[in-house]
Structures are given as C-alpha cells and as structure tokens.
Amino acid sequence: MPGAAGCARPVDVARTQEWQAEGRGMNGAFHLLPPSASDAAGRYDTLMLVEFLVTGFVALGVAFMIVYFSVRYRRDSDADRSAAPAGGRKLEIAWIAIPLLLFLCAFAWAAYDYARLYRDPPGAMPVFVVAKQWMWKLEHANGRREIDELHLPLGQPVKLVMTSQDVIHSFYVPAFRIKQDVVPGRYTTISFTPTEAGEFHLFCAEYCGTEHAAMRGRVVVMRPDQFAAWLQQGDAREGMAARGFALYRRYGCSGCHEAQSSVHAPDLHGLLGRTVHLQDGRSLVADEAYVRDSVLLPKKEVVAGYAPIMPSFAGQIAEEDLLAIIEYLRSTGGGDARAGH
Ligand code: CUA
C-alpha cells in the first residue's frame, strides 16, 4: 500500500499475548455465539434463531419424507399403487406459496432490522472514527481521543460517524453484531445502544494490508456515571465544537457564511437535521455526509437560491478537522443538536 511504510506501527506482541491468554470476552469456554451486548445483537439473534428453526424444520421434514417414501415404496413392498395420483394442483400451489410467504416474511423482518442500524435514535451520542493502516482513532464530542479503544456508556444510544484516511477498513464488534465498512472519501454511520457493561473485541473486518489482522482493539462499556468521569479525564483539550469553531474561522468559512457577510452564502446555524432545498429541485435532510460533500464537492448539492461560488476544500482539510467543524455546526443548534459539547 502506498505510503504505508511511513506510518507502520509495530505489532504489539505483549498485548497480543495478553489477549490470547485472557481470551478476552470469551473466558476460554466454548460459546456458540459471542456475548450479546447491544440492542442490535438481541434483534439479530432472535431473527437468526427463528430462521434457523424454520429452515431446520423444513430440512427435517424433507429428510423424513425421503426416508419414509424410500422404505414404503421400495421395489418389492406391498404398498397399494392402484390409485396413484397423476397430478396435484393444490399441492403444487401450496409448496410454491408457503415458502414464498416465509421468505418474504424473513426478508421484511431482516430489512426492518437492518434499516434500524442506519436510523439515528433520538439523543444518539456521536463518536467519530477515523481508520488508517493500521489503527482506529476515535474522538468524543468533548475532544477526548482514544486509539484502538472505544469507551461507551451503558444504555445510551450511540452513532458512529466513520471515515478512513487510506484504504477501506471495516468496523466490526461481534458482541454488538455490528459491522460497517469504513471508506475513504465519505462518511459511513451506524447506530446502536450498548446493553451490557464489559469489554468486547473490536476488529477490522476488511483486508487492508500487511497488519490487517493486528488492527483491532476493544470496546469498554461502562456505567453512565463512570463514563462521565472517564470522559473528563486525560489531557485537557478543548471540545470538538470549540476546535471546530476555530477551524471554521481559520479556513475562512465564517468569511462568507456569517449573516453580516457581503457574500451571499447559506447560513449554517442549526444546519444539521434541517431540510435543505437544492437548486435542482431535490430536498434532503442535512447530515454529516451532506456537510462533508458541501465542503469537498461544493458543486454536487447547490442550495436553491445561491450561486455555486463555494470553492472546494478537497485535499486541504484533514478528516479530523472536518469532523470538528461538523461538531461546531451541530453545537449551533437545529434539529440534530443533541450532542454534549
Ligand atoms: Cu483495517 Cu483491515
């Protein structure tokens, strides 16, 4: 991978051995499934169990009939073959319609659960994830940063906003039953609520280069009061929103987007969660990805009533800076103004 050598991190042998010794989260015992530690995990486990039972029941039924008919109608059996049916329209319709209905139910159920991963629950706490070869960099709204570790409060809905600095990675926490590609050049998000305190594996689930297998960490779910205390520890940094405001001025956003500016540019206060009408007639609800595209690809979605004069900042702004600016915009209020800052 180009540029990989420069930022290569030695494999942490001690930590790897410690993990193997502990079998972290697994206790060495055999488990059919990893621990179930999020609302998504409960939903998926139920779905999987029901699908397993339905398909298992059908498979057993078919196997039983094969054996039964093989014995009953073997060549020299005295079974009555005088009135053999020539066809069975009703039977044929039944074996087409019933499986079709079952599959459609499974599809609808799974699609509903899947869609819930991408709908932020009200009050979701944003956490920002930047992946690179080969580490996870995480930042909380108050500016607390972590590497290869993610601390979360128990029972609080979380929304991860993720991007990559180099290649495609995948954020995978088996205990939460979540796995989401982390893609350079755009944001992906995923929402869930931790339902159990403890430590859980975090893996990269997309082959991303030599040390892909070492690109892992842990998720620590704490009681809300413990989490609040943890969040305040560490090197005192300004919150993301404050840093974002400084960047908002430094990159010159404020020069055009402030109300008193002489340039005719949209007002960004309370933008996140607001419905935006575009020049081409479409409308959308402004989210993190929309802000990102507006900064890097300003011609893509031009707001109705404004000239497309915004310059692109592609290649000039670091991912972390862009996330901070988004946090600043979130802090200015609007429909999505729920994050602490
Ligand atoms: Cu990152 Cu595999």
Side-chain angles (χ1 to χ4, degrees), residues 186-214:
R186 68 144 123 167
Y187 290 149
T188 51
T189 65
I190 196 159
S191 302
F192 59 91
T193 306
T195 53
E196 229 179 276
E199 290 187 10
F200 307 101
H201 290 297
L202 160 64
F203 296 113
C204 177
E206 181 74 48
Y207 181 68
C208 55
T210 316
E211 285 180 34
H212 156 71

Side-chain angles (χ1 to χ4, degrees), residues 126-131 137-143 145 159-165 182 186-189 239-245 247-248 251 272 287-289 291-292 295-296 317-331 339:
V127 179
F128 302 92
V129 182
V130 178
K137 298 191 288 182
L138 298 108
E139 184 162 10
H140 295 265
N142 80 335
R145 292 184 182 195
K159 176 188 188 183
L160 302 180
V161 179
M162 308 191 281
T163 191
S164 166
Q165 272 176 237
V182 180
R186 68 144 123 167
Y187 290 149
T188 51
T189 65
M240 280 183 83
R243 193 156 55 82
F245 179 59
L247 292 163
Y248 179 77
Y251 283 104
L272 284 176
D287 59 3
E288 292 87 352
V291 177
R292 179 201 169 81
V295 173
L296 302 180
I317 185 164
E319 292 293 354
E320 271 110 339
D321 288 356
L322 196 46
L323 287 168
I325 289 173
I326 289 172
E327 259 326 272
Y328 161 65
L329 293 182
R330 194 196 309 275
S331 75

Side-chain angles (χ1 to χ4, degrees), residues 134 136 168-170 204-208 212 215:
W134 288 275
W136 299 102
I168 301 177
H169 303 271
S170 180
C204 177
E206 181 74 48
Y207 181 68
C208 55
H212 156 71
M215 185 171 166

